[in-house]
Amino acid sequence: MTRYFTKEHEWIQVDGDTATVGITDFAQESLGDITFVELPEAGRAVTAGEAVAVVESVKAASDVYAPVAGTIAEGNAALDAEPELVNTAAETDGWLFKLTLTDAAALGDLLDEAAYKAYIAEL
């Protein structure tokens, strides 16, 4: 599985034509304590860069964007009862949604882990 990142601080892990999407540790640390997560509905077609979820914290509410185009396969139902999973496991169990890719070639526009780390080091 390959993991990519966006400059909007989403991560995307691809397995075949299914991608799992979440926010990075950097993003969850910046937001503070997560209090609510609004997830997209399964079956929704999304375009790259489209706001598809909302993460609310004690500091602010932030949109989460689709890193690439696809169709939402599922949201992480565990976040309904435990939104704090985004704080404790942002890049594993705190994933937000899965989508079925419509254009895998668009993954080439995203950052690899080394490029993302270099990007956040400059912030």
Side-chain angles (χ1 to χ4, degrees):
M1 288 185 270
T2 304
R3 187 172 282 214
Y4 303 90
F5 297 85
T6 71
K7 289 186 175 180
E8 289 72 34
H9 309 292
E10 289 98 7
W11 59 265
I12 175 171
Q13 185 164 305
V14 179
D15 184 12
D17 67 347
T18 301
T20 303
V21 179
I23 64 171
T24 64
D25 276 327
F26 178 85
Q28 67 83 16
E29 287 175 11
S30 299
L31 287 167
D33 293 337
I34 305 298
T35 57
F36 179 76
V37 179
E38 181 181 320
L39 299 171
E41 290 187 30
R44 176 179 165 189
V46 299
T47 59
E50 181 180 343
V52 295
V54 177
V55 176
E56 293 183 19
S57 71
V58 293
K59 292 183 180 178
S62 298
D63 288 332
V64 178
Y65 305 96
V68 294
T71 302
I72 301 295
E74 68 176 299
N76 185 353
L79 297 178
D80 288 337
E82 294 182 78
E84 63 273 14
L85 271 177
V86 177
N87 289 119
T88 59
E91 298 189 16
T92 54
D93 293 340
W95 58 274
L96 301 180
F97 57 89
K98 293 184 179 191
L99 59 84
T100 303
L101 301 172
T102 55
D103 181 15
L107 295 168
D109 297 335
L110 303 176
L111 303 173
D112 64 19
E113 187 168 359
Y116 179 72
K117 286 182 177 178
Y119 173 71
I120 61 173
E122 296 175 3
L123 299 178

